Amino acid sequence: MNPLTAALLASAALVASPALAQTASPVPGYAPPAPVVAEPAPPLAPFPTQAPKLIVAISVDQFSADLFAQYRNHFTGGMARLLTGAVFPSGYQSHAATETCPGHSTILTGYRPAHTGIIANNWVDQSVGRPDKIVYCSEDERVPGKSHTDYVVSDMHLKVPTLGERMKTADPRVRTVSVAGKDRAAVMMGGHKMDEIWWWDGKTYVSYAGRAVPPVVERTRKAVADLIAKPQAPLPLPGFCKPLDREITVGGQTLGTGRFQRAAGDLAAFRVSPASDAAVLAMAAGFVQDMKLGQGPQTDILSVGLSATDYIGHALGTQGTEMCIQMAELDRSLAGFFEVLDATGVDYEVMLTADHGAHDMTERQQIRAMPMESHVSLEADTKIMSAAVAKQLGLPDSPPVLMSAESDVYINRALPPATRAKVLAEAKRRYEAQPQVAAALTREEIAATPWPKTPPETWTLKERARASYDPERSGDLLVLLRSGVTTIEEPRPGYVETHGSPWDYDRRVPILFWRKGMTGFEQPLSVETVDIAPTLAATIGLPIPGVDGRCLDLDPGPADTCKK
């Protein structure tokens, strides 16, 4: 166990402290709405005796299949343990909108974003009278005075139940816990019926308004505050990282030198470091201990969202020494977490995957034999495109005729239908003429595309878009850039690399299952993240019919896990 993980586990997970009655910051006079979910199934018989007593579902944000392949031979800790289980190196977030919120919504629901309703991190509210309201996937936009960047966290936009919800419906004694470095990870993996749900808000760990702070959260808060109050020296460089030890200048900064050195009190630098993952794992371990998860009459479920890899990737890229150090620290922090779980004596099952992949920064790709990599041109900017379309059609562009959120482009609903049709046709023509644009698909084209039935790597762009399409939230036009073109117009400190494309470097992620005593195997053929929920459900004998995913047989012998 690395020293950082050991210190956090010792102070956050193992030391007792009195419970405090503090809550997350409430909005005066506001009561969160009741979630809208599918009708629950009737309670089922107790889970079978051979079922694991605790399911631990881990998402490593931006942990691409490429990163997994690059570092799998260097893992010696927690990741090495998972490699002895069932390994699916070509898992797919098969949809086009490869972002954090939609990706997390697939992992424990078994549904693609077209059914979860989480089409992107943000979308435009198309309701009458609100044509320009951007909605964040985990906000309640009905709260007065709030916006998609200053919001009250809510689960109201997730349209389907998670595995934890289904388990709790089958047996109310099931405990469900979700902790993460981002609110959208905690919410989308946890769902609507949570015993405990906590996330990092940029300053500390919070939950919904009105929740009492349990001792483990208070301990974690204190441990992290003490850690941040002290400066952090550069982390050591593992030997296998030395070939990557090259500086690069991008976005007005030189990367590859800091190695997570942090000044005292720097909250932002803590988030963009391996320490933030170690803290989330420490809190998760504390919940296992304090709540005695897995020691009750039924199977409990713990979801863990580790966000540091994503923050590090965006700020520093995927192919530098920083990401290499992160992979080593993640491996060691997971080892410490599993040691705590082992000590409980609980029969637990682990699943680890990612919400999406990523692509390294354009500048480093260009000097590594990929000169075709590029930043998106300003000509594709929605404001510029809107002004050009309005001018061509003789329309005023105030308010704009086009607006966008992520890759979805929306036409101003205040325009007459005939004018909207002209705007759509002209916008589609102009986008398709852009050399960096692979496709500009109308909502009618996407809606008319049959649901894909072949392996995800064979899907057309329309089929990938179909898996993300929700008629209530998707745009009038979906603009997809060509492979290797990043949506970052100009890199800047904290933002040199991103994801969100329909290409496999953003879609492919590893999917790993582990349980003590299982016979391990590797299946190189493609599977999907929507297969995770029905697979985990099968191990506890809980049928979840009607989902988009399929059960993966984790028993390499003649017995079929999915038919038990």
Side-chain angles (χ1 to χ4, degrees):
M1 188 186 305
N2 68 359
L4 175 61
T5 304
L8 283 168
L9 288 173
S11 57
L14 304 178
V15 178
S17 68
L20 299 178
Q22 296 177 356
T23 64
S25 300
V27 177
Y30 169 69
V36 178
V37 296
E39 285 295 321
L44 302 177
F47 301 146
T49 56
Q50 70 272 19
K53 297 296 292 180
L54 174 63
I55 292 174
V56 180
I58 302 171
S59 171
V60 179
D61 200 321
Q62 205 185 122
F63 186 38
S64 67
D66 294 332
L67 269 183
F68 172 69
Q70 182 176 355
Y71 289 103
R72 62 179 294 174
N73 292 334
H74 298 294
F75 293 135
T76 59
M79 289 297 301
R81 179 191 295 211
L82 298 180
L83 281 165
T84 66
V87 179
F88 298 89
S90 290
Y92 275 80
Q93 291 281 2
S94 48
H95 49 272
T98 50
E99 296 179 324
T100 300
C101 213
H104 278 103
S105 80
T106 70
I107 294 171
L108 289 180
T109 65
Y111 289 104
R112 299 180 184 123
H115 291 139
T116 69
I118 310 301
I119 63 161
N121 286 347
N122 301 279
W123 57 83
V124 175
D125 186 337
Q126 301 178 81
S127 59
V128 176
R130 303 183 69 181
D132 59 351
K133 164 64 179 175
I134 295 180
V135 177
Y136 171 57
C137 61
S138 294
E139 75 160 309
D140 184 348
E141 67 274 17
R142 298 172 298 184
V143 180
K146 295 292 181 177
S147 71
H148 70 288
T149 57
D150 175 23
Y151 52 86
V152 171
V153 176
S154 171
D155 55 30
M156 63 180 287
H157 293 303
L158 181 63
K159 293 182 175 182
V160 296
T162 60
L163 176 61
E165 290 179 66
R166 293 177 184 271
M167 292 167 63
K168 191 175 278 291
T169 297
D171 189 324
R173 297 173 297 179
V174 168
R175 277 88 55 79
T176 59
V177 176
S178 184
V179 296
K182 297 180 181 179
D183 57 59
R184 53 188 179 268
V187 169
M188 296 303 154
M189 291 182 72
H192 309 94
K193 297 180 181 180
M194 299 302 304
D195 290 286
E196 294 289 353
I197 178 169
W198 296 85
W199 62 86
W200 178 259
D201 74 344
K203 296 179 180 178
T204 190
Y205 295 97
V206 301
S207 187
Y208 298 128
R211 279 185 176 265
V213 180
V216 61
V217 174
E218 195 58 46
R219 298 195 303 265
T220 306
R221 285 177 171 179
K222 183 180 185 306
V224 170
D226 290 345
L227 182 71
I228 294 173
K230 303 173 184 176
Q232 170 66 57
L235 296 183
L237 189 67
F240 61 84
C241 296
K242 290 182 179 178
L244 301 174
D245 191 10
R246 300 176 185 174
E247 297 179 2
I248 183 169
T249 300
V250 56
Q253 59 185 330
T254 300
L255 306 179
T257 58
R259 297 176 188 168
F260 306 112
Q261 183 174 4
R262 185 178 68 245
D266 193 336
L267 287 163
F270 166 77
R271 187 180 69 170
V272 188
S273 77
S276 61
D277 280 350
V280 170
L281 287 168
M283 184 163 55
F287 272 119
V288 172
Q289 294 172 319
D290 285 12
M291 295 179 67
K292 299 188 185 307
L293 296 180
Q295 299 182 45
Q298 289 288 48
T299 301
D300 297 323
I301 183 167
L302 167 67
S303 59
V304 182
L306 303 178
S307 305
T309 301
D310 184 70
Y311 287 127
I312 292 166
H314 283 301
L316 303 165
T318 65
Q319 292 299 307
T321 53
E322 300 93 351
M323 187 61 77
C324 190
I325 292 171
Q326 163 62 5
M327 290 293 99
E329 292 298 308
L330 173 66
D331 183 39
R332 298 169 72 188
S333 293
L334 284 170
F337 175 60
F338 295 151
E339 287 175 19
V340 174
L341 299 189
D342 292 341
T344 66
V346 169
D347 177 12
Y348 65 95
E349 177 178 28
V350 180
M351 184 287 306
L352 184 145
T353 189
D355 55 341
H356 54 74
H359 200 42
D360 196 26
M361 67 181 76
T362 298
E363 288 74 13
R364 190 150 47 206
Q365 296 281 48
Q366 289 175 339
I367 63 176
R368 289 188 170 183
M370 293 290 142
M372 71 290 294
E373 302 279 321
S374 64
H375 292 277
V376 67
S377 168
L378 288 174
E379 294 177 359
D381 181 83
T382 307
K383 292 181 179 179
I384 295 175
M385 184 64 71
S386 180
V389 169
K391 182 178 180 180
Q392 178 68 30
L393 299 178
L395 300 171
D397 193 42
S398 181
V401 297
L402 301 175
M403 70 176 301
S404 65
E406 319 303 347
S407 297
D408 283 280
V409 176
Y410 300 77
I411 300 174
N412 191 332
R413 290 252 168 150
L415 297 172
T419 303
R420 285 173 51 82
K422 292 179 181 178
V423 170
L424 177 62
E426 179 63 15
K428 179 178 172 67
R429 183 189 71 79
R430 286 178 174 270
Y431 276 116
E432 289 180 336
Q434 295 287 329
Q436 292 180 318
V437 172
L441 306 173
T442 67
R443 60 170 33 234
E444 289 76 14
E445 289 178 292
I446 298 170
T449 301
W451 199 247
K453 297 181 180 180
T454 58
E457 69 271 22
T458 68
W459 292 7
T460 65
L461 287 180
K462 286 184 180 180
E463 289 175 322
R464 300 175 195 196
R466 180 67 184 85
S468 302
Y469 174 74
D470 180 330
E472 295 179 357
R473 297 172 182 172
S474 293
D476 298 293
L477 194 65
L478 180 68
V479 179
L480 302 175
L481 299 178
R482 293 188 182 277
S483 178
V485 180
T486 177
T487 56
I488 298 176
E489 295 174 354
E490 294 183 7
R492 59 183 186 271
Y495 192 51
V496 300
E497 167 262 284
T498 193
H499 48 83
S501 82
W503 306 109
D504 282 1
Y505 51 74
D506 284 345
R507 296 171 76 219
R508 288 181 62 245
V509 298
I511 302 176
L512 312 173
F513 297 89
W514 181 90
R515 185 180 178 188
K516 185 177 180 180
M518 75 178 294
T519 301
F521 66 93
E522 180 158 345
Q523 172 51 270
L525 300 179
S526 61
V527 296
E528 296 183 64
T529 53
V530 293
D531 299 334
I532 292 168
T535 300
L536 292 174
T539 66
I540 58 173
L542 178 65
I544 54 171
V547 296
D548 295 329
R550 63 184 178 89
C551 178
L552 304 174
D553 181 15
L554 300 184
D555 188 340
D560 188 338
T561 307
C562 301
K563 295 180 180 179
K564 290 182 179 179

